[in-house]
Amino acid sequence: MVIYREFKELKSLAAPVHWAVGMFDGVHLGHAGVIAAAVKGAVLDGGIPAVLTFRTHPLARVRPESVPPAIMGEDAEKFALMEELGVKAVLSLEFSSRLASMSPEEFIGELCSSCRVAQIAVGEDWHFGRGRAGNVETLRLLSCRYGFRVTAVPPILQDGERISSTRIREAVREADFLQVAGMLGRPYRWKGPVIHGRQLGRLLDYPTANIRPGCGLQPPHGVYAVRARVAGKKYGGVANLGVRPTVEGETGELLLETHLFGHPGDIYGREMEVEPVRFLRPEIKFPSLEELKSQLARDAAHAAEALEEGE
């Protein structure tokens, strides 16, 4: 998959392009429906299935205080999911002042002058252009001028409600991971290389594999029953997401510390995926390391029970 950063870079695309357009934060099932429409169009008519998205949320330009937290912190993860859905090219634009000032007609005109547009697929409630003045009807009018097809994709429902990034954020904040997975179409998970910590878990007889959880949306700080994958093997475990107030005060770095059930061996530097299954308790500061150690034993037992119930 090829990543483009500016309209002018699209000149290299010789074939007609079927665009899925949107912010696509989280690449949830609703987003996947829009992307699938573009991919299907490219398969049926020939051409390149592509995504047009933005590196920064449009609200950052006009109402920065209203920008919602990103579900995904890394573009690379979002692009990888798009590639799995069949996307061959991504135009990831910076939402600059110039872009924000474009009328709907100017925005579509710039896209159509940069490549051969065969189709534009969007959610049926999509708005675009200066002041969000453009909508699907605007897009259909412009399609007559420029000769592309418009596909307006209706929302995907879960339990009778529209799947949206807002609902996913609420479910993550509530640690409702079944709900999150149902809307994302995949489990919520943390991923990153295992890094060295202070070795405190080892001293407490609960060694941990530590990763930085990333800058995306996080559930509440606390202890979770988890499933993990590292070095080609799967493990159950118990994990703490937080800043370790018992030993670090309130200024510690945010880490995910996972005690794996089993003996993974030396996994430093290896990529690890951790899927939270159940929230067990909030992170708290203990009066002593001995009390922390006693609680870790209870946490591990509760996590094992939760994982067994979930099987």
Side-chain angles (χ1 to χ4, degrees), residues 14-54:
V17 186
H18 297 256
W19 290 104
V21 184
M23 192 66 207
F24 299 131
D25 178 27
V27 194
H28 58 60
L29 288 179
H31 298 150
V34 176
I35 292 171
V39 172
K40 181 179 179 181
V43 170
L44 293 177
D45 301 337
I48 300 168
V51 163
L52 190 160
T53 189
F54 304 98

Side-chain angles (χ1 to χ4, degrees), residues 240-287:
N240 183 79
L241 175 70
V243 296
R244 303 158 307 287
T246 302
V247 293
E248 301 277 6
E250 301 297 331
T251 59
E253 178 188 10
L254 179 63
L255 290 177
L256 182 74
E257 301 171 299
T258 305
H259 173 65
L260 301 172
F261 300 153
H263 302 282
D266 184 1
I267 53 173
Y268 287 117
R270 305 295 291 269
E271 191 83 1
M272 183 169 72
E273 291 185 356
V274 182
E275 175 192 336
V277 174
R278 186 180 299 176
F279 180 70
L280 300 178
R281 65 169 177 85
E283 183 178 51
I284 58 176
K285 183 175 181 177
F286 291 91

